[in-house]
């Protein structure tokens, strides 16, 4: 008897036999779907509301931070719209806590900057020669005195490549690629040493010689947590692509050291030859010159991707198609050693020069706050009780 | 095959219940859709505001086009451009920035 009842329950005829029960079950399902729909919509709307509130708080804090620098006071308390912002300096940082009239609070922090970074780091191409801008099809033409200036004091205090992790001397590398090699010391980015690389704290390294990206099929790949400026007192030879990930950006700068001179390497042999124009009265110093940049090498004509900004103190030589992610600043000229070599400027790693620092470069303008970083936000403060609670007697 | 009155009432009741609950769900979904559309419009406004603020940060001089674009941009809220030491920044309109 009991087995018979169970079988009748399982065959489902009772369900179809009673439409009211079936309709009730369907309604229950509809109700559940409605609750889920409404909950989802509420969650999405709350997400947008929180984002809007945070953005408004950021704008108010931004205004307060800028005002704070203008007043030159150590602690500030400002009311901006519906927000109350309280700023306290902490070493190189400014800590800002923002509270809305609705009781939400956010905490921001920003770096204290001595001024604006050189404007060229916000441009894809900056050159002193209008003919180059016309040839590349874009670019800002500036006077030579508008080019970015290195901060000599910062350079003097910066670590040198001999002692910094990620670089090593390689006396043989130049001989492999240039007949006769080079006279100045050759440093190479240590591909293996730079995996998990922690660049120097100040974000500035000086290379007292030439710097090489050793020619390779595979690219250099680094994760940078902070911006890094590498100042090369010599030539820069890029024989492999470099890809940078993380919030940090790489800036490569070539300068003309004492006892070297940049020149236009028309024959592409890596050394000055009679008749090649040098940027001086007569060519003197080391035979390979200084301040020049080679994108691609005679033995390497693969297309290159350089995930960095490049400030060229001498002549830029293009031996292969090259894509530059950051700013390209040309103090002199651009020479294509291979006909048809193309330069692509992606502009993906530019700087917000008004609010970001480029280590090692002189700044202009008044001190200012850097970009705000949200360190904690959207916290609703607990309701204050009307009466203090007291233990029961 | 004739049905009893009770069975007919039950069937009509079941049909009504289904219609009401289905209609209710449909109505609610329309409302949810409207709320979602409004949230997505608000998010678009927010993105526009972010773009303007970023662009403003990178400008040394305010642009009149940007000035016109910030009135009533988010929930009818207005912003004004301020500039200091070559930096432009957007401020939610309210009481003047005061110490």
């Amino acid at each position: 008897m009991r087995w018979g009842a169970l079988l009748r329950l399982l065959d489902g005829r009772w369900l179809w036999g009673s439409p009211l029960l079936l309709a009730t079950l369907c309604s229950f399902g509809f109700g559940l779907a409605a609750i889920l729909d409404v909950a989802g919509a509420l969650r999405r709307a709350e997400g947008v509301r929180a984002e809007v509130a945070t953005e408004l708080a950021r704008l108010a804090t931004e205004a307060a931070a800028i005002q704070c620098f203008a007043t030159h006071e150590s602690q500030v308390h400002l009311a901006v719209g519906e927000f109350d912002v309280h700023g306290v300096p902490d070493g190189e940082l400014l800590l800002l806590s923002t509270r809305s009239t609705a009781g939400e609070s956010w905490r921001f922090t920003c770096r204290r900057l001595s001024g604006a970074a050189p404007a060229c780091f916000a441009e894809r191409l900056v050159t002193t020669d209008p003919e180059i801008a016309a040839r590349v099809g874009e670019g800002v033409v500036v006077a030579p005195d508008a080019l970015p200036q290195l901060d000599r004091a910062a350079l003097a205090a910066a670590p040198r490549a001999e002692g910094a992790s990620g670089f090593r001397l390689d006396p043989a590398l130049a001989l492999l690629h240039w007949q006769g090699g080079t006279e100045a010391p050759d440093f190479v980015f240590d591909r293996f040493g730079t995996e998990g690389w922690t660049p120097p704290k100040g974000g500035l390294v000086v290379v007292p010689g030439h710097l090489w990206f050793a020619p390779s099929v595979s690219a250099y790949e680094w994760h940078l947590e902070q911006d890094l400026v590498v100042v090369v007192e010599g030539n820069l030879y890029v024989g492999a692509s470099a890809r940078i990930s993380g919030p940090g950006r790489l800036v490569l700068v070539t300068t003309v050291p004492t006892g070297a001179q940049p020149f236009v390497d028309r024959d592409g042999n890596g050394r000055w030859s009679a008749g090649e124009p040098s940027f001086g009265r007569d060519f003197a110093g080391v035979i390979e010159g200084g301040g020049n940049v080679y994108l691609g090498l005679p033995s390497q004509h693969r297309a290159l991707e350089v995930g960095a900004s490049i400030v060229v103190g001498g002549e830029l030589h293009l031996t292969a198609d090259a894509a530059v992610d950051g700013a390209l600043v040309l103090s002199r000229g651009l020479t294509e050693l291979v006909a048809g070599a193309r330069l692509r400027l992606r502009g993906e790693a530019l700087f917000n020069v008004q609010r970001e620092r480029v280590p090692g470069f002189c700044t202009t303008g008044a001190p200012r706050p850097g970009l705000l970083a949200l360190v904690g936000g959207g916290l609703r403060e607990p309701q204050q009780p009307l009466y203090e609670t007291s233990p029961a007697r | 095959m004739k049905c009893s009155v009770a069975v007919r009432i039950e069937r009509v009741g079941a049909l009504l219940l289904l219609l009401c609950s289905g209609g209710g769900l449909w109505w609610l979904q329309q409302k949810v859709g409207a709320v979602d559309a409004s949230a997505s419009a608000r998010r678009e406004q927010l993105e526009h505001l972010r773009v303007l603020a970023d662009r403003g940060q990178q400008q040394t001089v305010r642009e009149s086009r940007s000035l016109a674009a910030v009135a009533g941009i988010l929930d009818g809220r207005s912003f004004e451009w301020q500039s200091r030491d070559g930096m432009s920044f957007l401020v939610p309109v309210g009481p003047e920035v005061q110490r």
Side-chain angles (χ1 to χ4, degrees), chain A residues 25-370:
Chain A
L25 284 175
C26 285
S27 302
F28 181 74
F30 288 163
L32 202 63
I35 289 169
L36 291 176
D37 264 5
V38 170
L42 287 176
R43 199 182 55 245
R44 290 189 289 276
E46 172 56 23
V48 174
R49 188 209 62 79
E51 274 187 58
V52 167
T54 303
E55 191 58 30
L56 291 175
R58 178 188 292 278
L59 289 175
T61 311
E62 190 89 34
I66 290 170
Q67 187 84 346
C68 174
F69 272 78
T71 57
H72 301 293
E73 286 183 16
S74 57
Q75 292 201 8
V76 285
H77 185 222
L78 297 151
V80 184
E82 65 206 69
F83 298 94
D84 240 19
V85 186
H86 188 70
V88 184
D90 178 20
E92 271 197 2
L93 298 176
L94 178 66
L95 308 177
L96 297 137
S97 43
T98 305
R99 186 179 299 170
S100 73
T101 48
E104 273 183 291
S105 65
W106 295 263
R107 280 183 297 121
F108 294 92
T109 179
C110 67
R111 192 187 275 271
R112 295 155 69 89
L113 304 180
S114 59
C120 65
F121 288 107
E123 304 291 342
R124 298 205 286 196
L125 173 66
V126 173
T127 172
T128 52
D129 185 353
E131 193 265 327
I132 293 176
R135 195 156 28 122
V136 176
E138 62 175 307
V140 177
V141 181
V142 298
D145 59 359
L147 290 169
Q149 300 297 316
L150 283 163
D151 180 351
R152 295 288 156 202
L155 282 189
R160 317 283 284 179
E162 297 102 319
S165 77
F167 300 90
R168 67 178 162 82
L169 266 170
D170 190 335
L173 188 60
L175 282 168
L176 290 174
H177 300 282
W178 300 126
Q179 197 181 12
T182 56
E183 292 178 23
D186 290 289
F187 288 83
V188 64
F189 269 119
D190 193 345
R191 180 183 296 272
F192 303 106
T194 48
E195 288 176 5
W197 186 22
T198 309
K201 208 177 171 193
L204 181 64
V205 185
V206 177
V207 178
H210 308 307
L211 179 64
W212 292 73
F213 284 79
S216 168
V217 178
S218 55
Y220 284 81
E221 291 188 16
W222 297 310
H223 179 89
L224 291 181
E225 280 299 326
Q226 59 170 31
D227 296 330
L228 174 67
V229 175
V230 180
V231 177
V232 182
E233 294 175 338
N235 294 335
L236 172 67
Y237 302 106
V238 183
S241 294
R243 296 195 191 104
I244 308 295
S245 61
R249 286 155 294 188
L250 180 64
V251 180
L252 302 163
V253 185
T254 60
T255 60
V256 183
T258 317
Q261 230 173 283
F263 66 95
V264 182
D265 188 8
R266 281 188 180 149
D267 54 12
N269 65 354
R271 49 178 30 217
W272 181 79
S273 313
E276 287 179 334
S278 65
F279 301 105
R281 210 174 288 167
D282 296 308
F283 185 81
V286 293
I287 197 74
E288 68 274 13
N292 286 345
V293 174
Y294 291 80
L295 292 182
L297 291 168
S299 57
Q300 195 282 114
H301 295 287
R302 281 180 297 273
L304 293 170
E305 289 176 16
V306 187
S309 292
I310 307 177
V311 180
V312 188
E315 180 84 2
L316 173 64
H317 299 88
L318 206 57
T319 309
D321 287 351
V324 178
D325 282 354
L328 179 63
V329 182
L330 302 178
S331 310
R332 314 277 182 182
L334 166 63
T335 301
E336 287 161 13
L337 294 176
V338 169
R342 283 194 317 128
L343 186 62
R344 278 189 298 136
L345 304 163
R346 290 182 176 154
E348 290 168 2
L350 300 177
F351 285 79
N352 176 349
V353 292
Q354 291 294 331
R355 304 293 298 282
E356 285 186 300
R357 159 179 180 263
V358 182
F361 281 91
C362 295
T363 57
T364 52
R368 62 197 60 214

Side-chain angles (χ1 to χ4, degrees), chain A residues 19-33, chain B residues 17-18 21-22 25:
Chain A
L20 195 58
L21 187 61
L22 187 64
T24 308
L25 284 175
C26 285
S27 302
F28 181 74
F30 288 163
L32 202 63
Chain B
L17 187 59
L18 265 181
S21 54
L25 180 63

